Amino acid sequence: DGGITQSPKYLFRKEGQNVTLSCEQNLNHDAMYWYRQDPGQGLRLIYYSQIVNDFQKGDIAEGYSVSREKKESFPLTVTSAQKNPTAFYLCASSIAGDTSSYNEQFFGPGTRLTVL
Amino acid sequence: GDSVTQMEGPVTLSEEAFLTINCTYTATGYPSLFWYVQYPGEGLQLLLKATKADDKGSNKGFEATYRKETTSFHLEKGSVQVSDSAVYFCALNRYKFYFGSGTKLNVKP
């Protein structure tokens, strides 16, 4: 089955530690996205990538970093500079990025990060 | 700029009631419009979509019609079930994705 996997489902870290969230897709999509969701809130875009080896900052990129070395993988690192990292993190992908207005985004199951 | 506005929740209904969740958008040109559903602790799932004016998207008893004249894409279902309890997000794609803030639906038995 094609889809997006995120691991782990739950992640606990001590304050001051960097942590990397995994996102893998086997949909052969060009574009991938990371969102943050706080309790009872909507989605906020952290970073997105439309092609391998290229990515752009979203609305709340401070304290986060990403890489896109392979088409199917888009890991997100939450650094110690992120002041309030506890949240639900969602990865998504779409066939094309800003070259098309027709395509939907497909979402992974999410990773809940708790910083103690 | 482009944006999506949807009604605030929570919306609480009894089982078998009629559901409407309002969504309006601001965009130049011709965006595609989407409804997503999020169950507790899960990612978003695409519920339905419409890519041009007057298109009706439908899935699992839910429907929404792309109304360009009123810039709206309201979600409707004739008879809700307890299992429909979730958060619903309206979204548009005009070469970039914009999501609404989400509307929580609670359906009581």
Side-chain angles (χ1 to χ4, degrees):
Chain A
D1 286 339
I4 302 176
T5 56
Q6 291 186 242
S7 61
K9 179 79 173 168
Y10 300 95
L11 191 54
F12 297 88
R13 279 295 181 269
K14 292 183 179 178
E15 197 170 341
Q17 289 182 334
N18 291 356
V19 60
T20 298
L21 281 60
S22 168
C23 177
E24 304 276 333
Q25 55 100 358
N26 60 3
L27 300 167
N28 200 31
H29 286 174
D30 284 324
M32 296 185 75
Y33 310 80
W34 274 106
Y35 293 93
R36 170 179 172 142
Q37 187 177 33
D38 291 287
Q41 303 297 311
L43 306 176
R44 291 188 289 170
L45 182 64
I46 305 172
Y47 268 99
Y48 64 102
S49 167
Q50 300 194 63
I51 196 167
V52 174
N53 292 323
D54 188 42
F55 48 83
Q56 289 79 40
K57 293 181 180 180
D59 302 318
I60 56 164
E62 186 175 349
Y64 299 97
S65 65
V66 293
S67 63
R68 186 86 186 277
E69 297 175 2
K70 299 186 294 183
K71 187 175 184 178
E72 59 270 22
S73 179
F74 191 41
L76 173 74
T77 297
V78 184
T79 75
S80 56
Q82 167 51 232
K83 293 184 175 132
N84 295 298
T86 294
F88 190 52
Y89 291 87
L90 287 161
C91 179
S93 71
S94 65
I95 292 175
D98 62 5
T99 59
S100 169
S101 65
Y102 293 107
N103 305 118
E104 60 267 38
Q105 288 189 359
F106 293 80
F107 283 81
T111 292
R112 185 166 302 280
L113 172 65
T114 302
V115 175
L116 305 171
Chain B
D2 295 356
S3 66
V4 175
T5 302
Q6 57 182 108
M7 64 188 288
E8 289 193 18
V11 173
T12 301
L13 296 173
S14 297
E15 205 165 24
E16 299 184 1
F18 186 87
L19 168 70
T20 300
I21 300 179
N22 290 338
C23 172
T24 57
Y25 68 91
T26 300
T28 55
Y30 301 93
S32 295
L33 300 172
F34 308 86
W35 275 102
Y36 285 84
V37 59
Q38 184 180 34
Y39 298 102
E42 298 183 8
L44 277 68
Q45 301 174 25
L46 180 67
L47 184 57
L48 52 84
K49 65 185 277 190
T51 58
K52 61 182 187 295
D54 300 324
D55 264 3
K56 178 186 281 188
S58 61
N59 185 25
K60 299 180 182 178
F62 291 90
E63 293 183 340
T65 301
Y66 189 142
R67 301 284 188 203
K68 190 154 180 67
E69 63 275 15
T70 54
T71 62
S72 65
F73 192 55
H74 304 322
L75 182 68
E76 296 182 334
K77 187 176 185 185
S79 176
V80 293
Q81 306 299 312
V82 172
S83 57
D84 293 327
S85 297
V87 179
Y88 293 81
F89 290 91
C90 185
L92 74 82
N93 180 5
R94 197 183 71 85
Y95 304 105
K96 183 178 176 182
F97 254 82
Y98 299 86
F99 286 88
S101 56
T103 302
K104 185 171 184 179
L105 171 65
N106 295 317
V107 180
K108 295 183 174 180

